[in-house]
Amino acid sequence: MREPETIEEELAIIAEALDAGIDPFPPKKESSGIVRLSLGWFMIIIMVSWVSQFLYRSL
């Protein structure tokens, strides 16, 4: 599908979507903190692993 060239074409596409029952502007999803928390813990575990490997090799 090509990009609309005029505002009227874009409004017609939006009207068709609304008639078909499609929401062209869905609400933004709330981001959960679980992803950020799990990524943070993963990075902490990796850093502790690197530090322990470094200390083990230096002894």
Side-chain angles (χ1 to χ4, degrees):
M1 185 174 186
R2 64 178 176 79
E3 291 288 322
E5 295 178 2
T6 63
I7 294 175
E8 289 81 13
E9 290 178 358
E10 191 166 350
L11 289 174
I13 292 171
I14 292 173
E16 288 175 13
L18 288 173
D19 289 340
I22 300 171
D23 186 10
F25 308 105
K28 222 176 181 183
K29 291 184 179 178
E30 294 293 324
S31 62
S32 65
I34 293 176
V35 174
R36 184 180 294 166
L37 182 65
S38 61
L39 181 61
W41 276 108
F42 175 73
M43 292 177 69
I44 289 171
I45 291 170
I46 291 295
M47 284 189 268
V48 167
S49 171
W50 288 343
V51 169
S52 65
Q53 285 179 5
F54 176 74
L55 290 176
Y56 180 75
R57 290 180 183 167
S58 66
L59 291 177

